[in-house]
Amino acid sequence: MSEIIVVTSGKGGVGKTTSSASLAVGFARRGKKTAVVDFDIGLRNLDLIMGCERRVVYDFVNVINGDCALKQALIRDKRFDNLSVLAASQTKDKDALTQEGVERVLNDLRQEFDIVLCDSPAGIERGAFYAMYFADRAVVVVNPEVSSVRDSDRVLGIMASKSKRAESGQAPIKEHLLLTRYSPERVERGEMMSVADVEEILGIKVIGVIPEAGEVLAASNSGVPVILDEASDAGQAYEDAIARLLGEERPMRFLEPKKKGFFQRLFGGS
Amino acid sequence: MSARRQEGNASELRSGQFNLMVLKIHRYAADHIQAEMADQVESAPQLLRGAAVALDLGALERLPSIESLSDLLARLRYVGLIPVGLIGQGLEWIELARGCRIPLLAPERRRGRAEETPVAPPAAEEPAAPTPPPAAEAEAPAVAAPGGLSSPLVIAGPVRSGQQIYARGRDLIIHGTVSAGAEVAADGCVHVYGRLSGKALAGAGGDLRARVYCLEFAAELVSIAGNFRVFESAPRDIVGKTVEMFLDEGRLQIRALR
């Protein structure tokens, strides 16, 4: 059965697109036929992180407007042929999205794919609203700081009251929390909110904790989602999150500060 | 059963909220009422033909009989209106409504008064709420429960930042936390079975006896009947405690319950 999953946050710069890219690759690597859609009309980014920016010919808005067929706009990933990207338009603005248009494209994607991942723009305006409106599940990306947590709370509230599922009285959108840019060292020093703090305020358990790491930025810049960097903590943490999203039990990792112990020095850990 | 589950239920009951026109009867003269309403419908057919109306007989000295009210309802239908309810509460009204096969709607009235006057006299003369609460995202009017009490509005999950809940004419019960930036308000009492980090307003219609309860106190603001207190930094001795908040001679008091 196909699922629409929105990756959202409210606040900008918390790692939605980075997470969308890694989650999309993670699902595809697990054999799920996956499409990832960039809803940030006018500020196209997902294609960059996915490393397919030079292959964008048609985009999401073209499909909505009927300028091209959905198949023409879907960009197949070079690493996984069961993964496709639907890029945002860089020249239009968010008014190009209509509820009927978005619904039609998402329904068509549902026919073809197991998982349709919607990469939401920041904010709670039109683009973000349509990204979440039709979702079955939501991955709310949050950073361990107060403003991000507050915005995520707001977004969770909107999903609980204004989504299609809420309006039509279906079972609510299933909510997952993905904590990104987590630094155990700074939590220990009391400079950053802990996993427990965030879980308590939002009343939801986290599905994954992605440590703050240089590899994430490097991966984004080179168009290779960090989940493919299997040596990195962040890559492994995303893989854990994928496993949990697919219903597996996995213990949380990377929550403790790294100890510069004997073994680590011996084996050249950072 | 499993097959039915998989397909999902074909129907479900939900509460909804609609604006309803109220037809207030000053004088029980069926002929005149019919003529007046016929004129009204004639002058604004787009608006009024097929419009649902609730009947307010609160101004009458005594209740009409089942026969005469049934006649009036038929006349209203004849001129194009659709009577959908009778406003009133109490035993006589229940019998009258049942006899005419029309739902009985609870009058909009302030809590507290209702307890003093169980059998409903005219409801429409009630003064408007002195401090109307902010426009509510989720607002539900009072529903009459047996015995003339209004059943509370129960919210089964958390109330998140930016959400507003208002229980008109009744108590509000929240199963979950009220986040910072959320507002919960009721004309009656507010009960939060969780952490209260947002704003809570009880007695929004002016009832000085309304109270606020929460399992874990961390509120930004608490108001009872318009007497409010802002907690820029909450007092150390009550943060995280289970507390009760009430008015004592116009001053907002907070008391730990355990």
Side-chain angles (χ1 to χ4, degrees), chain B residues 23-63:
Chain B
L23 174 56
K24 184 158 176 142
I25 306 298
H26 301 297
R27 230 164 11 97
Y28 201 84
D31 286 336
H32 289 133
I33 296 169
Q34 182 181 353
E36 286 165 19
M37 286 302 115
D39 286 346
Q40 292 262 351
V41 173
E42 194 63 41
S43 65
Q46 295 258 340
L47 184 70
L48 292 177
R49 196 173 300 283
V53 291
L55 220 53
D56 182 355
L57 305 178
L60 303 182
E61 299 227 338
R62 54 192 197 87
L63 294 186

Side-chain angles (χ1 to χ4, degrees), chain A residues 150 153-154 156-157 161 166-167 169 200-202, chain B residues 12 14 137 160-163 179-180 195 216 220:
Chain A
R150 165 76 62 91
D153 194 46
R154 177 92 169 99
L156 285 163
S161 57
E167 286 181 351
E200 198 204 330
I201 292 173
L202 293 177
Chain B
E12 70 164 356
R14 297 177 67 194
E137 188 168 290
R160 297 194 176 276
S161 188
Q163 288 186 299
S179 296
R195 191 163 21 86
E216 271 182 63
E220 296 168 333

Side-chain angles (χ1 to χ4, degrees), chain B residues 47-89:
Chain B
L47 184 70
L48 292 177
R49 196 173 300 283
V53 291
L55 220 53
D56 182 355
L57 305 178
L60 303 182
E61 299 227 338
R62 54 192 197 87
L63 294 186
S65 68
I66 290 171
E67 289 75 12
S68 81
L69 183 59
S70 296
D71 171 58
L72 178 62
L73 293 174
R75 286 164 182 260
L76 291 174
R77 287 188 199 102
Y78 178 74
V79 301
L81 296 173
I82 304 177
V84 295
L86 189 60
I87 300 173
Q89 61 184 184

Side-chain angles (χ1 to χ4, degrees), chain B residues 221-240:
Chain B
L221 176 148
V222 172
S223 165
I224 294 175
N227 300 277
F228 68 91
R229 199 167 142 188
V230 179
F231 299 95
E232 197 177 338
S233 56
R236 276 268 172 79
D237 53 326
I238 55 161
V239 169

Side-chain angles (χ1 to χ4, degrees), chain B:
Chain B
M1 193 190 83
S2 65
R4 207 183 72 190
R5 274 280 162 77
Q6 273 172 9
E7 286 174 23
N9 290 338
S11 63
E12 70 164 356
L13 280 172
R14 297 177 67 194
S15 70
Q17 188 199 342
F18 304 94
N19 271 323
L20 200 55
M21 240 175 306
V22 175
L23 174 56
K24 184 158 176 142
I25 306 298
H26 301 297
R27 230 164 11 97
Y28 201 84
D31 286 336
H32 289 133
I33 296 169
Q34 182 181 353
E36 286 165 19
M37 286 302 115
D39 286 346
Q40 292 262 351
V41 173
E42 194 63 41
S43 65
Q46 295 258 340
L47 184 70
L48 292 177
R49 196 173 300 283
V53 291
L55 220 53
D56 182 355
L57 305 178
L60 303 182
E61 299 227 338
R62 54 192 197 87
L63 294 186
S65 68
I66 290 171
E67 289 75 12
S68 81
L69 183 59
S70 296
D71 171 58
L72 178 62
L73 293 174
R75 286 164 182 260
L76 291 174
R77 287 188 199 102
Y78 178 74
V79 301
L81 296 173
I82 304 177
V84 295
L86 189 60
I87 300 173
Q89 61 184 184
L91 264 184
E92 300 166 279
W93 290 86
I94 292 172
E95 277 173 20
L96 179 60
R98 199 171 286 159
C100 296
R101 300 172 142 268
I102 189 165
L104 188 63
L105 307 175
E108 266 192 78
R109 57 173 21 256
R110 272 160 51 192
R111 210 192 121 73
R113 293 280 186 89
E115 290 160 14
E116 294 154 19
T117 52
V119 177
E125 276 83 19
E126 289 284 336
T131 50
E137 188 168 290
E139 180 182 314
V143 175
L149 282 175
S150 290
S151 58
L153 174 62
V154 180
I155 304 294
V159 183
R160 297 194 176 276
S161 188
Q163 288 186 299
Q164 292 176 316
I165 309 283
Y166 172 44
R168 181 192 295 279
R170 50 187 175 151
D171 286 354
L172 175 61
I173 297 174
I174 314 264
H175 296 183
T177 62
V178 176
S179 296
E183 291 180 14
V184 293
D187 289 338
C189 297
V190 175
H191 306 256
V192 179
Y193 291 96
R195 191 163 21 86
L196 170 60
S197 301
K199 296 177 179 164
L201 301 88
D207 187 351
L208 300 168
R209 292 172 303 172
R211 295 183 179 218
V212 176
Y213 298 86
C214 65
L215 279 191
E216 271 182 63
F217 180 89
E220 296 168 333
L221 176 148
V222 172
S223 165
I224 294 175
N227 300 277
F228 68 91
R229 199 167 142 188
V230 179
F231 299 95
E232 197 177 338
S233 56
R236 276 268 172 79
D237 53 326
I238 55 161
V239 169
K241 296 269 170 60
T242 297
V243 302
E244 171 188 42
M245 287 154 274
F246 55 97
L247 283 185
D248 183 22
E249 295 182 348
R251 284 185 57 87
L252 190 75
Q253 306 292 328
I254 305 179
R255 180 170 72 195
L257 288 177
R258 50 169 197 201

